[in-house]
Each structure stands twice: as structure tokens, then as C-alpha cells.
Amino acid sequence: MRVLHFSAQPLCDERLMLAAELRSIADALLPGKVLNRTTLESVPQARPSDIDIYLSSNKPHVVHFAMHGTDAGLQLCDAYLESIEYQGSSLASALKDMGVKLVVLNACESETVADEIKGEVEVVISTTKKLSDEHAIVFSEVFYRGLQVGLSIAKAYQSAMDELELISKGSSEFYVLKSREPGLEKQI
């Protein structure tokens, strides 16, 4: 499994715990890395041009976005580390014909972006509202650990949702899994 992780923390935006989230993903994927079954490529302070370049050069199965988001798009960085909005239509264009199976939009209010890209990937996971760093980290760790041990996308997602349900005392309804066609929530 090849995982490509994009993160962005523009200078003017509220600080996110992006390093902690990346570390939780790396730890979850470690057994596969040791056995040379998994790779994790990280692109910090991602700019719009990075999306095309790294998708083309890495040919990932999974693409993970960790950054601020709004219903209008993802907040990437420009060359001066200022915030720049990357719209779902641009991401859909970048993903077209790339063979990506799964996109995780671990960014607040990213469901609109998910709707714009779901035709280009088999499965997309997004959020419906603002989420805390802690929820983003827990979701990532449990979800990727599930994928690493061979769970289907749907089962790994449900495992992460169950964990969030426990720590948030009954309110984990901010992540949404969508597939291009029913039944595509299979193993990666």
C-alpha cells in the first residue's frame, strides 16, 4: 500500500497538530513498512503544484490531506506560506486517471470537496463540520492501523468511528465515507 500524505499549515492560520497526526499514521503503518509492504510519503506545507507532481511521481493507492478546510476547499500554502484555497474541482482534475483508490480529507467541513472528487476515486472520507486535532489524530491512527492489518476500508472506517464514539461520548457523526459505486469499500 502506497500512502501519500499532504499537510499544510499556513502562517496566518490557527495552529494544527499536523506532526502528531503524521506520527500516528506512521506508527500505524510501521509493521507494513518493516515488511516492505507499505510506503508513506509526506509532503509538508503543500502547495497546489505539489498535488500534481507528487501524485504523478508516487502513484499512491491512498492520499491523505491534513489541513484546514472549508466547504469551498482545502487550505494549502502558497510560496510564502500564506493560505491559498484549493477547490474540489482542482483536486478532481489532479486525481483524474491517477488510479487512487482512497482519499482521506482530514480537514474541517470537507464534504463538499468529497462530493466533487468522488467520481475520480473509489472511496473518499471527509468531514461534515469542524473537528478537533485530537479527533483527527485518533481517527487517522485507528483507521490506518485497520488498513495495515488487512481490514476493508469500510471496516477500518467503522473501527475508527467506534473509537471516536467512545472518546467523544456519543458524537462521532462528523466523518462520512462515500464510494463511487456501492460495494467498493474493499481492502487496499
Side-chain angles (χ1 to χ4, degrees):
M1 173 171 57
R2 289 185 303 276
V3 179
L4 180 56
H5 178 276
F6 290 102
S7 63
Q9 180 67 71
L11 293 176
C12 60
D13 287 352
E14 177 185 334
R15 305 308 298 163
L16 296 172
M17 295 172 56
L18 299 175
E21 182 178 343
L22 177 59
R23 173 63 190 260
S24 72
I25 294 169
D27 287 349
L29 296 176
L30 185 59
K33 289 179 77 173
V34 170
L35 299 172
N36 293 320
R37 291 190 325 222
T38 303
T39 61
L40 173 61
E41 177 80 24
S42 177
V43 183
Q45 301 302 72
R47 298 186 283 191
S49 60
D50 292 336
I51 307 298
D52 286 325
I53 291 167
Y54 282 89
L55 284 172
S56 295
S57 64
N58 285 275
K59 305 284 189 248
H61 301 110
V62 179
V63 181
H64 184 101
F65 290 89
M67 57 198 54
H68 287 292
T70 68
D71 59 358
L74 302 173
Q75 301 302 306
L76 298 180
C77 295
D78 67 11
Y80 303 103
L81 301 181
E82 296 296 325
S83 181
I84 186 169
E85 188 172 87
Y86 190 69
Q87 296 181 344
S89 59
S90 297
L91 182 54
S93 178
L95 290 166
K96 187 171 183 62
D97 300 324
M98 294 305 298
V100 173
K101 295 183 183 315
L102 168 66
V103 171
V104 178
L105 299 171
N106 217 4
C108 295
E109 302 170 339
S110 55
E111 189 173 20
T112 302
V113 174
D115 287 338
E116 292 187 63
I117 69 168
K118 70 181 178 186
E120 304 303 334
V121 298
E122 292 182 14
V123 180
V124 61
I125 296 172
S126 62
T127 64
T128 58
K129 54 187 168 185
K130 192 169 180 152
L131 73 152
S132 70
D133 283 327
E134 293 78 13
H135 288 142
I137 292 166
V138 168
F139 179 87
S140 296
E141 180 178 355
V142 175
F143 178 72
Y144 284 102
R145 189 172 355 135
L147 292 181
Q148 185 59 53
V149 299
L151 295 182
S152 68
I153 295 170
K155 287 190 181 201
Y157 171 82
Q158 190 57 55
S159 181
M161 294 300 286
D162 291 346
E163 185 88 8
L164 286 176
E165 190 82 21
L166 291 172
I167 67 166
S168 62
K169 297 173 181 52
S171 177
S172 66
E173 298 176 4
F174 34 81
Y175 280 98
V176 178
L177 182 147
K178 298 179 180 193
S179 63
R180 185 172 48 204
E181 298 174 27
L184 286 180
E185 301 92 356
K186 57 185 180 238
Q187 289 178 310
I188 294 183

